[in-house]
Amino acid sequence: MSTACTHIIDDDEAIRDALQWLFKTRGVACRTWASGEDFLEAWSPQWRGCIVLDIRMAGMSGLECFDTLLARGCELPVIFITGHGDVPMAVAALKKGAFHFIEKPFNDHDLVSLVETALAADAERQRAAASRETIEARLATLTCREREVMDLILEGKYNKVIADELSISMRTVEAHRSRIFDKMDVRSAVELAQILTTLRS
């Protein structure tokens, strides 16, 4: 997994340099890009962190860059830098999934705070994704019969009812239940139900 980084995309070199200096003095790893095209050419789905994106740039606009990133499945939080007249566009971007926007001239502390919040949100998303992958990997170890028994357990049915429905013995149901709990690394049906809700969230 790559190290989290704040990507600054702005066609104004003075702003790029100022923001890079600001983030580095606050201990925030960052990288600058002179255009949306340059960033998109280099972008990798493995990247972690967030994006600070100017909404108005020569060539590809910030909104066009954002739309392309969405089409590619990029999940990095995007913070738009906007001028006063760009607020309606920024609000429209929020509805599409942008993380936030900040108006020029902005307070340095406010921007750093916003970026730190975005970085934390991306880190949490990564943890949740890793958790889902772990649960899915455990589910993949269950046999077809164990999946059947698990579904009935999750419906709240007793061992005797499960045994009758599947035409197997109570002892066999108990053995399946024990193996399911062991493979899924849980101690109860309630805990099993709780971790499976992670996959639906």
Side-chain angles (χ1 to χ4, degrees), residues 53-73:
L53 178 58
D54 190 13
I55 208 162
R56 284 187 188 273
M57 295 186 287
M60 174 180 275
S61 73
L63 288 176
E64 288 170 333
C65 179
F66 180 58
D67 286 342
T68 303
L69 286 168
L70 289 180
R72 292 187 184 180

Side-chain angles (χ1 to χ4, degrees), residues 122-168:
D122 186 60
E124 179 55 38
R125 179 181 63 80
Q126 292 304 316
R127 281 192 291 272
S131 176
R132 282 194 293 273
E133 286 173 11
T134 300
I135 295 165
E136 285 168 353
R138 290 175 188 165
L139 280 172
T141 67
L142 300 180
T143 65
C144 290
R145 177 61 93 186
E146 286 166 353
R147 290 294 288 260
E148 285 180 315
V149 172
M150 182 182 73
D151 289 342
L152 294 171
I153 290 171
L154 292 171
E155 288 175 19
K157 294 183 176 176
Y158 294 111
N159 287 354
K160 184 178 187 314
V161 176
I162 295 172
D164 290 344
E165 285 197 24
L166 298 180
S167 300
I168 55 179

